[in-house]
Amino acid sequence: MPVCGWLLAAGDYLCEMKVRGTVLLVALYVLLAVASATQALLLKVERDPGDPPATKYNNYLIFKSSHHHLSDGKPLYEPYPWEHADLYKYSPTFALLFGFFAIFPDWLGLPLWNLLNVAAFVAAVLSLPWKENRSRNLLLLLAAIEAMTSLQNSQSNLLVAGLLVMGFALLEKGRPAWATLCIAATFYIKIFGVLAFILLLFFPGKRKAALWALAWMVLLLLLPLPFTGIGPLAGMYLDYLNLLRSDHSASLGFSVMGWLQTWFGAEPDKSLVTLAGLAALCLPLLRPALFREYEGRALFFSALLVWMVIFNHKAESPTFILAVAGVLLWYFTTPRTVLTTTLLALTVIFTILSPTDLFPLSWRANLFEPYVVKAVPCILAWMAMVAMMYRRWWISGQKITGRDG
C-alpha cells in the first residue's frame, strides 16, 4: 500500500498550496488531454498492405464519421471499415452534437475533444459541495491516471463521469434544471446514465425536477429531427435499439459477470446478475430517511457510479474512470476506517495502476487481464458501500424501535 500513501502525501503537499494546488491540478489535466491527443496523432499503427487504415484514435474517428453519416443520410450503425474499426454505438443525438469537433481537422478536433472531457470532469469535481479544497484536489490527483486511460482511447467516459458528478453537485446546490440536463445528456452517450435520475428522489421539488428531466429527454431525443426528418430518425433509433440488443450477448468485460466466470467458473444469466445488483443497490430507497443527510446521498451516488461499470458486460479499462470516481467520492465523504483506506489502496494499486508499466507485461497479460483484476477492488468497494447503506438502515430502524418503546 505504499503507492497509495505516496499519492496521498503528494496530494497533501499540493493541497497545502490551496488555490495554487488546484491550479496545478487543472494544468495537469490540460496537459494530459493535449499530450494524449498528440501521442495518438503521432503514433503509427502497423498494418498489412491492402488493409484498411488504422490509427491510435479510432474512437474519435468513429464519433467524427457518425456526424458525417448523419448529415449525409447514411446508416449510422453499419460498418465502415475504410473509415474506422468497430461500429458506432451511441445515439443519433450524440452524432449530431459531435459536429462541433467533426468540422475541424483531426490535429485540432482530437485535442479539443479531449479538453472537453477534461473540462467536464474537473469542473464537476471542483463543484462538489465540500467545505475544504483538500479532498477535491486529492480526488483529482488520484483519478488522474484513470482519466489518462480514457483520454488515450479518445473515449467519452471522462465526459460522462463529469456530467454525472456535475448533475449530483447541481442537485445538492438546488439547481434541478441544469442538473437534469447533465443527467439527460449522459443517456444519449451511455444509456446507463439515465439511472442517475434516481437522485431526484432525495431532493424537494421532485415533480418540477421530473418535468425538467422529461423536457430535456424529449428535446435531446428530437434534436436531430430538423437534419434527418421524422422517418429516418425513427429508423435510426430502431437500428440503435437492435444494435444494443445484439451487443448484450457479446462479452462479459471487466464486470461482476466476468469475475464470477474467471474466478469461480460460474456463468449466471447476465440480466439476472445485473438486476440483482440493481435491486441490492435500490432496496434502501424504501427508507427515505437514510438520504436526508449529504453523507447518505453521496453514499448512494458513489455506489451508483460503481454499479454502472461493474455490472456492465461491456466494461473496458477506459470505462473505469466512472467506478474510480465513485470509489474516491465515497472515500472522501465517509469516515476513515481501516476498511475504507484498505479498499482505496487496493483500488489505486489494482484498478488504477495495474494496466500501467509499473507491473511487468507478463503479469498484465497472464494474470491481471484474464482474471479481471482491475474490476475486483471496485466490486469489493461496491459491496462495502451497499453494506454501509444496509447498516444505516438497521441503525435507523433500531432508533425508531427504541423511541417507540
Side-chain angles (χ1 to χ4, degrees):
M1 298 178 194
V3 172
C4 184
W6 296 336
L7 287 170
L8 287 172
D12 281 334
Y13 173 74
L14 286 173
C15 296
E16 286 173 4
M17 301 169 68
K18 297 182 180 177
V19 175
R20 258 197 310 165
T22 301
V23 171
L24 285 174
L25 286 165
V26 171
L28 170 64
Y29 271 78
V30 171
L31 177 63
L32 293 178
V34 175
S36 59
T38 303
Q39 179 190 45
L41 289 163
L42 294 178
L43 287 176
K44 303 298 182 182
V45 178
E46 293 184 6
R47 62 187 183 91
D48 295 328
D51 284 351
T55 70
K56 286 291 186 178
Y57 53 99
N58 184 67
N59 288 298
Y60 175 82
L61 292 179
I62 293 175
F63 303 151
K64 178 179 177 178
S65 297
S66 70
H67 176 76
H68 295 311
H69 298 156
L70 182 78
S71 302
D72 297 339
K74 295 180 179 179
L76 281 180
Y77 304 103
E78 292 187 3
Y80 293 91
W82 287 96
E83 296 180 22
H84 53 73
D86 209 346
L87 295 171
Y88 178 69
K89 299 177 182 179
Y90 296 72
S91 71
T93 299
F94 182 73
L96 174 68
L97 295 175
F98 207 83
F100 174 81
F101 305 99
I103 63 174
F104 296 112
D106 293 350
W107 63 264
L108 180 56
L110 179 57
L112 288 175
W113 166 242
N114 279 0
L115 286 169
L116 173 66
N117 278 259
V118 160
F121 185 71
V122 171
V125 172
L126 295 180
S127 298
L128 286 168
W130 295 346
K131 293 180 180 179
E132 54 177 21
N133 230 24
R134 176 180 181 275
S135 296
R136 296 188 193 91
N137 285 357
L138 282 172
L139 195 157
L140 286 173
L141 181 69
L142 292 171
I145 294 177
E146 202 62 48
M148 183 67 171
T149 301
S150 181
L151 292 169
Q152 285 179 322
N153 288 270
S154 60
Q155 291 208 8
S156 60
N157 298 299
L158 194 60
L159 174 60
V160 172
L163 288 170
L164 289 172
V165 174
M166 181 64 79
F168 174 69
L170 288 170
L171 284 172
E172 289 291 336
K173 295 178 180 181
R175 302 174 69 182
W178 294 113
T180 50
L181 172 59
C182 290
I183 296 171
T186 66
F187 174 76
Y188 290 95
I189 306 173
K190 305 260 187 174
I191 59 173
F192 52 67
V194 73
L195 289 171
F197 280 130
I198 295 173
L199 297 172
L200 301 184
L201 298 174
F202 303 154
F203 300 92
K206 298 178 184 62
R207 190 169 301 175
K208 182 179 178 181
L211 289 174
W212 274 113
L214 179 62
W216 290 125
M217 290 291 285
V218 172
L219 176 64
L220 291 172
L221 177 77
L222 301 178
L223 201 59
L225 190 58
F227 304 90
T228 63
I230 190 166
L233 182 60
M236 288 178 189
Y237 277 111
L238 285 175
D239 291 342
Y240 184 35
L241 291 174
N242 288 332
L243 174 68
L244 294 176
R245 192 179 298 116
S246 62
D247 195 49
H248 181 71
S249 59
S251 66
L252 295 177
F254 290 111
S255 65
V256 170
M257 291 76 78
W259 174 60
L260 290 174
Q261 183 189 65
T262 57
W263 283 49
F264 307 105
E267 296 186 16
D269 183 87
K270 287 189 284 189
S271 297
L272 290 179
V273 173
T274 302
L275 289 174
L278 187 60
L281 174 66
C282 292
L283 189 60
L285 296 174
L286 295 174
R287 180 61 65 84
L290 299 179
F291 308 103
R292 286 177 187 159
E293 297 178 355
Y294 174 76
E295 185 179 317
R297 297 191 295 271
L299 175 60
F300 178 86
F301 178 57
S302 302
L304 179 62
L305 285 176
V306 180
W307 181 93
M308 290 177 180
V309 177
I310 64 172
F311 286 93
N312 180 358
H313 68 286
K314 296 293 290 182
E316 306 170 287
S317 184
T319 319
F320 271 78
I321 183 60
L322 285 152
V324 166
V327 173
L328 294 175
L329 182 66
W330 168 62
Y331 180 77
F332 289 117
T333 53
T334 303
R336 308 287 168 79
T337 64
V338 173
L339 175 64
T340 60
T341 302
T342 300
L343 289 172
L344 174 67
L346 292 174
T347 301
V348 170
I349 296 169
F350 293 109
T351 298
I352 297 175
L353 297 177
S354 65
T356 70
D357 292 336
L358 287 176
F359 291 94
L361 178 60
S362 59
W363 291 21
R364 287 178 273 147
N366 301 318
L367 178 63
F368 291 167
E369 290 183 20
Y371 290 94
V372 296
V373 169
K374 186 177 181 72
V376 175
C378 295
I379 294 171
L380 297 176
W382 182 82
M383 291 177 177
M385 294 176 205
V386 172
M388 287 178 68
M389 281 194 282
Y390 283 100
R391 182 175 181 274
R392 289 166 64 91
W393 189 349
W394 170 259
I395 292 173
S396 67
Q398 291 293 97
K399 287 180 179 179
I400 291 172
T401 304
R403 252 197 326 269
D404 290 342

